[in-house]
Amino acid sequence: MPPKRMSTAVKRLMTEYRQLMKDPPEGISAGPISEDNFLEWECLIAGPADTCYEGGVFPATLVFPADYPLNPPKMKFVPPIFHPNVYPNGEVCISILHAPGDDPNHYESASERWSPIQSVEKILLSVMSMLAEPNDESGANIDASKLWRDNREAFNARVRGDIREALGL
């Protein structure tokens, strides 16, 4: 039986993984869940300094489509986190993870959306930035968006409480 050919997606992800291992961005760890499946990754993202997320470590998954890098992966925090740009089920909603091309809702420009020149590192850095600076204009979690806008002190207290609970404190 001839050896199975490696897909373009897997080749690209192997290259990106090697780069992340060689020069990991501060506060981020990511890699395939199993060497047998490079299309599913685990990630750990440290809460950015000087934010209410500081001190937290947030696990997430990245699931890549078979046609990666033509289309973006899906990212999900497991367990979900309270954030304006994270759906209550944990799925992350930011421009870089939206399919390439024009936004049917005319909210984002095509340049803000996914393109094949993006990378896992760029996604993770964008999510870390999103933690520090939520976009409450396009809320995925309406309750979090409203609390972020209307009562920042209560929002910060809720997030800090969630972090303490997750850490067992």
Side-chain angles (χ1 to χ4, degrees):
M1 207 161 133
K4 189 174 177 183
R5 291 190 49 205
M6 201 179 312
S7 73
T8 303
V10 170
K11 287 179 189 173
R12 165 80 180 258
L13 288 167
M14 288 177 99
T15 300
E16 291 192 45
Y17 178 57
R18 279 193 295 275
Q19 178 58 35
L20 279 171
M21 295 301 291
K22 189 171 89 174
D23 188 19
E26 188 175 332
I28 293 172
S29 173
I33 291 173
S34 151
E35 288 183 18
D36 297 332
N37 183 359
F38 257 77
L39 298 179
E40 292 185 30
W41 287 34
E42 304 179 292
C43 314
L44 290 174
I45 299 175
D50 302 321
T51 72
C52 60
Y53 295 95
E54 183 175 22
V57 177
F58 305 98
T61 59
L62 277 169
V63 178
F64 297 88
D67 65 351
Y68 179 82
L70 298 177
N71 279 296
K74 299 266 188 230
M75 185 170 184
K76 188 174 186 176
F77 282 104
V78 184
I81 65 170
F82 189 70
H83 188 280
N85 306 117
V86 177
Y87 287 101
N89 71 355
E91 191 173 326
V92 176
C93 179
I94 58 172
S95 300
I96 193 174
L97 293 176
H98 295 163
D102 292 326
D103 178 7
N105 299 316
H106 307 291
Y107 178 76
E108 304 164 327
S109 71
S111 65
E112 295 174 299
R113 296 167 70 90
W114 178 260
S115 82
I117 63 167
Q118 306 293 8
S119 65
V120 173
E121 180 177 1
K122 176 82 164 64
I123 292 166
L124 296 173
L125 290 172
S126 294
V127 169
M128 188 178 259
S129 177
M130 172 203 82
L131 289 176
E133 297 177 29
N135 176 359
D136 64 357
E137 295 297 313
S138 72
N141 182 323
I142 303 305
D143 293 338
S145 295
K146 186 170 177 9
L147 196 57
W148 170 263
R149 257 194 317 268
D150 299 345
N151 190 340
R152 191 70 54 85
E153 192 174 302
F155 178 91
N156 292 345
R158 160 82 190 262
V159 169
R160 285 201 272 317
D162 289 351
I163 290 170
R164 280 192 302 279
E165 184 179 320
L167 295 173
L169 303 174

